[in-house]
Amino acid sequence: MDSNAFGLDTGQLRAIEDFLQSNTLGRDHAKRVDDLSASISYRDTGKTATILNDALQSFGVLYPLILIRETEDSVISVYEKAGIDDAVRDATLSDVRLWVDQYASQHDGAIGLDQVFWVCRHLCANILRLGRLQFEPKVFGYPYQIFLNLKDDMKIMFANRGLFCDEDGYLTSDQNAVFRTTLLEDTNHITGHLVDTKLGIIEKEETQKIKTELLRILGPETSVLHLHIPSGSPLTPSSVDDSLTLAKAYFPSISIVACSSWLLDPALDLVASQESNTRDFMHRFKKFPVSYTVPQIYERVFGFGLGETEVLTYNATTSLQKKVQQALKNGVKFHTTGGYLINL
């Protein structure tokens, strides 16, 4: 295959050829290629991910990359049928190369791809890179509802019922919960726990609003654009503006953009410089708490697989690393945070 829509370099392509020449994959390989081509053609991310993950588990990290390479024509065809121009296609598919490079950086230069559940979305054109950012149309999915207050034109967010929260209003397990959210709608009122969308926390006390004064504009099943932030060039305000403008053109019927990231954590105000791109990006969003295991800032600023203990003892070299370490020592807690903005 002469084309290279995924932007793989010479060494990566050579590793693919060497693997194919040194391994006898037989009919099973041909069937996997056919099955993967079919699932991509139907834009079935679930089946695509399953095939790639089975290949990963059976033959190691290089094999999914080989299957992707051999189904390149099907991938390109999907983008053509969807009316997506070549520049957007190539920018989107370059994420495969980013994750191959990421794997190499963590495994002494070894070539492979283990993020199969992520890149399947790119192969099926269910996520698009538009400028600096990536956008994925799907339902909101988070347990919150947004209402427009018709009296003052302000938006408020209620938490759905049944969320376990700690003392500070972040999501937690039922064993550690200080309170559990309620949400009650009757003929005249909506009563529940509001979200402080500046701090990204759920308020402990219930609030009651007059139902006729509220217009529901978002719930868990509302279609939104999920925004993803690939590694690469600086996240400048102008590049974010340009991406949001492109998103409006590609998805004119969807005005709400949602994101979950360490870059939305209000605690960044304590560690990022006043003029930093990260602060500017964070302040664009109304925020809400999301579930997570380890704060994403640990893996993105220090490295994958690190917990708080490892972060505190890490040999910090960058200004941000040093500031995060000092903040942790001072008792600051970092949180992966959700957020939304209206892209009109």
Side-chain angles (χ1 to χ4, degrees), residues 5 27 39-40 52 76 82 136 178 192 197 222 290 298 300 315 325:
R27 294 180 180 178
S39 67
I40 290 170
L52 291 174
I76 291 173
E136 180 181 17
V178 173
T197 56
T222 303
V290 296
Y298 295 171
R300 298 305 168 89
N315 182 24
Q325 283 183 333

Side-chain angles (χ1 to χ4, degrees), residues 137-165:
K138 62 179 184 179
V139 298
F140 179 58
Y142 296 104
Y144 303 100
Q145 300 185 49
I146 300 174
F147 295 85
L148 177 66
N149 190 321
L150 300 174
K151 290 190 67 175
D152 58 14
D153 205 34
M154 300 292 289
K155 298 173 186 66
I156 61 172
M157 175 178 271
F158 273 106
N160 280 1
R161 66 170 60 91
L163 302 182
F164 295 103
C165 304

